[in-house]
Amino acid sequence: MDWRGRRGSRNIEDRRGSRVGSIGGIGGAGFLAVLLIGWALGVDVTPLLEGTTGSQAPRELSSADQEAAEFVSVTLAETEEVWAQVFADQLDARYRPPVLVLFSQATGSPCGGANGATGPFYCPLDRKAYLDTAFFATMERQLGASGDFAAAYVVAHEIGHHVQNELGILDEANALRARVGEAESNAISVRIELQADCFSGIWARHAEAQFGSLEPGDIEEAINAARRIGDDTLQRAAGRVPMPHTFTHGTSEQRMRWFERGYGSGRLVDCDSFGADRL
């Protein structure tokens, strides 16, 4: 992905210099297993991380930290331009961009705590996306999803949830989830996530056309990332037998297919995961 030297977004809230809580007592493979379970199920698994919570002084940001922040800022700026154009062309509407919060290890949000166990997420209550850029290293080293465009896909996916919020889809879907049982709620969550994957595909198509920022192999990086973070793949990696009724994000095959659907079409109307008979 050709991103260096490009305009960054002003809608970045950098909390990485803040004092944060630290969690100890579990490490290595045990921590990875818990992190994978949390990511697969879309829940905060901090209570499962044995040990005590204390206060940790903010660490000094490295040059790699700064580069990751610049990368996120440029990617966010591209999403802003793409979605402004898509909203204008396809909906005759104005797109209101979100704020993206960068944090290190842990931070708070109106939707609950954000930390390395939850992974990146979007909070509709404050219209902000939350991201610890250390997750990019987790993707590369432990999940096998390497490459800058794989990281861009993660950012674009969270912004996809903001697009859902702008369209009123997220409120409606979450209201329905609150009225049904756990299995049905999980099934609705899968449709939410697959639509966000489709929206990230729309972003990739338009970013390629508008900015020429995609390089050979970038789309393959995004598709590989989608495959690596499917519920079935993550549950296997955590040493569990995949349980479809617990899936909240979709299988690897579904996540790849819906990203490809958005990339192939570039149209919002083709990302209707809620009306699809087959996911």
Side-chain angles (χ1 to χ4, degrees), residues 71-72 75-76 79 100 129 131 136 150-160:
F71 169 78
V72 170
T75 303
L76 183 64
T79 68
L100 191 148
L131 172 67
F136 297 153
Y153 155 74
V154 170
V155 175
H157 175 90
E158 297 310 323
I159 301 307

Side-chain angles (χ1 to χ4, degrees), residues 42-232:
V43 297
D44 184 354
V45 294
T46 302
L48 301 180
L49 303 176
E50 299 173 358
T52 59
T53 301
S55 180
Q56 178 176 333
R59 63 180 176 84
E60 184 177 350
L61 298 178
S62 67
S63 58
D65 292 326
Q66 299 293 11
E67 182 175 70
E70 291 173 12
F71 169 78
V72 170
S73 179
V74 169
T75 303
L76 183 64
E78 287 197 1
T79 68
E80 292 165 354
E81 294 190 42
V82 164
W83 286 113
Q85 191 67 50
V86 169
F87 269 48
D89 292 346
Q90 299 184 23
L91 301 173
D92 192 24
R94 184 175 69 90
Y95 174 68
R96 298 177 301 166
V99 168
L100 191 148
V101 177
L102 292 174
F103 67 93
S104 179
Q105 299 182 40
T107 193
S109 85
C111 296
N115 54 54
T118 58
F121 76 98
Y122 174 74
C123 178
L125 298 179
D126 61 1
R127 302 177 70 250
K128 294 180 180 181
Y130 290 79
L131 172 67
D132 182 345
T133 55
F135 184 72
F136 297 153
T138 299
M139 288 176 58
E140 180 174 356
R141 299 171 188 168
Q142 299 172 336
L143 301 183
S146 61
D148 50 12
F149 204 75
Y153 155 74
V154 170
V155 175
H157 175 90
E158 297 310 323
I159 301 307
H161 287 310
H162 176 70
V163 173
Q164 291 174 316
N165 199 29
E166 286 288 279
L167 297 175
I169 295 170
L170 208 52
D171 277 348
E172 186 176 346
N174 284 330
L176 180 58
R177 289 183 65 200
R179 299 195 299 268
V180 299
E182 182 178 358
E184 292 173 280
S185 176
N186 289 343
I188 296 169
S189 178
V190 167
R191 292 180 184 269
I192 292 172
E193 298 298 332
L194 294 180
Q195 186 176 62
D197 281 331
C198 191
F199 286 168
S200 66
I202 289 179
W203 164 76
R205 179 186 179 94
H206 287 274
E208 184 175 36
Q210 289 179 226
F211 313 115
S213 54
L214 272 68
E215 297 176 320
D218 279 348
I219 294 301
E220 289 75 14
E221 286 180 4
I223 291 172
N224 178 59
R227 178 172 66 86
R228 296 285 183 171
I229 56 178
D231 284 319
D232 52 341

